[in-house]
């Protein structure tokens, strides 16, 4: 028990207040007095109180009502309240308990009884305060550590994604004409995924996984990858293997981003009508992320210059995409793509091949 405990004495009779002061101040308690219920409530709004001695029968707000108001206030609801009453009827005591008081003292007040009950309730309050402060300290420590962990996870995620981005550039590096292809088609994929209404976690994973779509090209011989003319049948079969190789490189990871990258790397050349590769998947059997990346990849390939072709105009590129709805592409993905056409063009302009793009 603290020697400086503050007790609020509420009684409309000044003589009763003086009596309480005479009993309690020698015990080391600080006494604050109020002669009306509302005055007591106003004091509680501005003063830290450890215990309340509250007369029941007062003009204006009764002690019962003051008790109810205190118990309904979050900042004061746990302050011990002793009702001082001349009432001896059982129903009045029940009303006091229902209102939320902790104890009763009957008038005329006995000094020893008063001091004993006050001391007992203050001990309980000290314990509850200690427990509450410990809980708050624990919550603060947990919040601080959680924040630190979140920062560490964000830092780790950023480093991991940068590593993924730099490694995937290794697959594109020997094909200088692709330029900012990785940045563009990843952002195209994000825009289409959001247009489709996918959840934010999936949208973010697609954004970061899309950059791994052609990772398998690292195994494709330069004479095939950079061939300016059309590939013959044997060369084409070798080129198609980049999907399988990319998936193998990414298989077995615990990371959701890399797991999705494996799916995209293998299936982004599948076609809605089943004529794609490497597995000949059809319709909804093609993972949604691969269907999204497929349209982003084709759009960027058509609208960019490559060793084997000149870039197509925007009108012709959009026309080819639209014609591919239901055969090459999922019609719903095509609709989503065209619903964000302006965003697609803004990305294309911002990350044009002649613009320096940071890693």
């Amino acid at each position: 028990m603290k020697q400086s405990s503050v007790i609020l004495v509420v009684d409309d009779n000044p003589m009763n207040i003086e009596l309480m002061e005479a009993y309690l101040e020698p015990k080391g308690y600080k006494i604050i007095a109020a002669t009306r219920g509302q005055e007591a409530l106003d004091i509680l709004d501005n003063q830290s109180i450890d215990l309340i001695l509250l007369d029941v029968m007062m003009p204006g707000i009764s002690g019962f009502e003051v008790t109810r108001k205190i118990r309904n206030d979050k900042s004061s609801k746990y302050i011990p309240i002793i009702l001082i009453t001349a009432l001896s009827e059982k129903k009045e005591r029940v009303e006091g308990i229902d209102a939320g008081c902790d104890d009763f003292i009957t008038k005329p007040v006995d000094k020893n009884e008063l001091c004993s009950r006050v001391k007992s309730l203050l001990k309980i309050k000290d314990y509850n305060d200690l427990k509450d402060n410990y809980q708050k300290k624990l919550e603060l420590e947990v919040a601080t550590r959680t924040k630190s962990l979140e920062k560490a996870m964000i830092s780790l995620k950023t480093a991991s994604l940068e590593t993924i981005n730099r490694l995937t550039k290794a697959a594109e590096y020997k094909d200088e004409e692709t330029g900012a292809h990785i940045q563009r088609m990843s952002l195209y994929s994000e825009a289409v995924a959001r247009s489709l209404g996918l959840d934010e976690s999936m949208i973010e994973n697609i954004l970061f996984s899309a950059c791994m779509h052609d990772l398998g090209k690292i195994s494709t011989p330069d004479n095939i990858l950079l061939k300016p003319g059309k590939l013959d049948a044997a060369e084409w079969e070798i080129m198609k293997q980049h999907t399988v190789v990319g998936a193998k490189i990414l298989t077995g990871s615990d990371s959701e981003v890399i797991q999705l990258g494996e799916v995209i790397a293998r299936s982004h050349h599948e076609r809605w009508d089943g004529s794609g590769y490497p597995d000949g998947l059809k319709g909804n059997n093609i993972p949604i992320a691969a269907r999204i990346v497929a349209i982003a990849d084709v759009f960027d390939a058509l609208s960019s210059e490559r060793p084997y072709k000149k870039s197509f105009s925007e009108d012709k590129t959009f026309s080819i995409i639209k014609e591919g709805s239901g055969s090459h592409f999922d019609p719903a993905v095509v609709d989503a793509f065209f619903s964000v056409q302006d965003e697609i063009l803004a990305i294309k302009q911002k990350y044009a091949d002649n613009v320096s793009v940071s890693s």
Side-chain angles (χ1 to χ4, degrees):
M1 183 186 67
K2 298 175 296 184
Q3 290 301 309
S4 59
S5 295
V6 180
I7 298 175
L8 174 61
V9 178
V10 188
D11 198 306
D12 61 313
N13 187 335
M15 291 183 64
N16 289 335
I17 294 176
E18 289 177 6
L19 182 64
M20 296 296 178
E21 290 174 341
Y23 287 164
L24 296 171
E25 285 182 341
K27 299 292 183 181
Y29 303 122
K30 178 181 179 181
I31 306 301
I32 296 178
T35 57
R36 293 290 187 274
Q38 186 58 56
E39 182 186 358
L41 295 173
D42 292 339
I43 289 172
L44 287 170
D45 287 337
N46 300 287
Q47 174 78 40
S48 177
I49 301 296
D50 294 303
L51 184 142
I52 302 170
L53 293 172
L54 179 61
D55 186 26
V56 171
M57 304 302 294
M58 293 186 296
I61 306 175
S62 73
F64 295 136
E65 184 60 26
V66 172
T67 300
R68 291 189 189 95
K69 288 180 178 292
I70 292 171
R71 291 296 179 245
N72 288 329
D73 188 324
K74 184 178 179 181
S75 64
S76 61
K77 65 185 299 183
Y78 296 115
I79 299 175
I81 300 174
I82 299 177
L83 290 179
I84 310 294
T85 176
L87 301 172
S88 59
E89 294 292 332
K90 183 177 180 180
K91 65 177 182 180
E92 277 83 14
R93 289 183 174 269
V94 170
E95 183 178 357
I97 292 170
D98 287 342
C101 79
D102 297 281
D103 206 346
F104 291 92
I105 294 180
T106 304
K107 294 180 180 180
V109 175
D110 179 81
K111 176 182 176 181
N112 291 331
E113 180 186 12
L114 172 67
C115 292
S116 177
R117 292 177 186 256
V118 166
K119 182 178 179 181
S120 177
L121 285 176
L122 285 174
K123 281 184 178 180
I124 294 173
K125 183 177 185 296
D126 284 346
Y127 171 77
N128 288 333
D129 287 347
L130 181 65
K131 184 174 68 172
D132 185 54
N133 290 335
Y134 177 77
Q135 182 67 27
K136 289 179 180 177
K137 182 179 178 182
L138 190 62
E139 290 173 357
L140 179 61
E141 185 175 348
V142 169
T144 301
R145 292 191 178 187
T146 299
K147 189 174 182 179
S148 296
L149 181 59
E150 287 174 351
K151 287 183 178 179
M153 291 299 293
I154 291 171
S155 178
L156 180 60
K157 182 177 181 180
T158 301
S160 297
L161 293 173
E162 182 181 2
T163 300
I164 290 170
N165 191 32
R166 290 177 181 274
L167 287 175
T168 53
K169 282 187 175 183
E172 303 279 358
Y173 188 77
K174 55 187 177 181
D175 184 2
E176 295 181 359
E177 297 301 325
T178 60
H181 169 64
I182 292 175
Q183 283 80 9
R184 287 194 301 266
M185 58 84 54
S186 294
L187 291 169
Y188 296 155
S189 298
E190 178 192 27
V192 174
R194 181 163 282 108
S195 178
L196 283 168
L198 302 186
D199 65 70
E200 284 301 317
S201 176
M202 183 63 167
I203 292 170
E204 184 181 70
N205 285 343
I206 287 175
L207 169 65
F208 295 126
S209 300
C211 68
M212 293 179 271
H213 69 295
D214 276 342
L215 185 59
K217 282 185 177 180
I218 200 168
S219 69
T220 306
D222 288 357
N223 65 307
I224 295 176
L225 185 64
L226 303 178
K227 184 177 179 178
K230 186 176 181 180
L231 301 179
D232 61 33
E235 291 170 333
W236 179 236
E237 289 302 317
I238 294 172
M239 173 63 83
K240 289 196 294 184
Q241 284 303 301
H242 81 273
T243 56
V244 177
V245 172
K248 285 183 178 179
I249 292 172
L250 298 170
T251 192
S253 174
D254 292 329
S255 164
E256 288 184 3
V257 172
I258 295 180
Q259 288 173 0
L260 190 60
E262 177 187 352
V263 170
I264 290 170
R266 185 174 187 95
S267 302
H268 72 285
H269 282 298
E270 301 288 358
R271 296 188 174 213
W272 186 252
D273 62 7
S275 64
Y277 63 90
D279 302 307
L281 300 180
K282 184 177 181 178
N284 288 325
N285 289 325
I286 306 169
I288 183 61
R291 282 179 263 155
I292 292 170
V293 172
I295 198 168
D297 191 31
V298 170
F299 173 79
D300 197 67
L302 292 174
S303 59
S304 303
E305 187 173 339
R306 296 291 174 86
Y308 50 85
K309 60 172 280 298
K310 296 293 184 180
S311 61
F312 293 159
S313 67
E314 289 176 1
D315 288 343
K316 184 174 182 179
T317 300
F318 283 124
S319 177
I320 293 172
I321 295 292
K322 189 171 293 185
E323 289 171 4
S325 179
S327 55
H328 192 155
F329 308 114
D330 176 354
V333 174
V334 173
D335 290 343
F337 176 84
F338 278 101
S339 73
V340 289
Q341 181 174 334
D342 290 343
E343 185 177 351
I344 296 293
L345 290 175
I347 293 168
K348 180 177 182 294
Q349 181 178 6
K350 182 176 180 179
Y351 295 94
D353 284 333
N354 60 351
V355 176
S356 175
V357 179
S358 64
S359 58

